Amino acid sequence: METIAYGDFAKLDIRVGKITDVKRHENADKLYIVQIDVGEQSLQTVTSLVPYYTEEELIGKQVTVLCNLSKAKMRGEISECMLLCAETGDESESVLLTPERLMPAGTKIV
């Protein structure tokens, strides 16, 4: 496993977020378009969680979000951040990382 310096880790802006809206991507079977409250702003991500979660399971869920990821276009939609998950090597399971207790949206992960 490659190691990194603390300074590299400190560049990551990881925060507690709350999912406020979820809709299926019209042109992709496994993608959701998700709006996430991360405190002072709302960010959008395109995520491949359809096989693992229903829309109802995601709405209102607290999640861990990498906020300062470069924007990317996925199937025509802008993805501004990344939801952090634990995923098995064969991708049969993917589980969102969530705080142990409720925390305010925007709380920094350190």
Side-chain angles (χ1 to χ4, degrees):
M1 177 184 314
E2 184 179 344
T3 61
I4 62 170
Y6 178 78
D8 293 327
F9 173 77
K11 293 176 187 176
L12 302 176
D13 184 6
I14 304 172
R15 296 177 182 264
V16 172
K18 182 178 179 181
I19 296 177
T20 58
D21 189 54
V22 179
K23 65 180 180 178
R24 291 287 294 267
H25 192 296
E26 293 179 3
N27 301 317
D29 293 339
K30 294 184 179 182
L31 297 179
Y32 285 125
I33 301 167
V34 179
Q35 304 298 321
I36 309 160
D37 173 6
V38 292
E40 60 273 352
Q41 64 180 327
S42 181
L43 297 174
Q44 176 172 290
T45 190
V46 180
T47 184
S48 58
L49 289 174
V50 170
Y52 312 106
Y53 290 92
T54 65
E55 293 172 56
E56 294 78 19
E57 289 174 315
L58 292 173
I59 291 289
K61 190 168 192 66
Q62 279 210 316
V63 290
T64 305
V65 185
L66 176 58
C67 295
N68 62 337
L69 189 65
S70 295
K71 291 181 185 179
K73 207 169 216 184
M74 296 177 67
R75 295 281 181 110
E77 294 288 336
I78 297 294
S79 191
E80 304 174 288
C81 61
M82 179 184 287
L83 295 173
L84 300 184
C85 298
E87 190 169 87
T88 57
D90 64 0
E91 299 179 7
S92 63
E93 287 288 331
S94 188
V95 179
L96 287 163
L97 300 181
T98 60
E100 180 181 350
R101 292 190 292 271
L102 289 179
M103 296 293 287
T107 300
K108 288 193 67 116
I109 306 292
V110 296

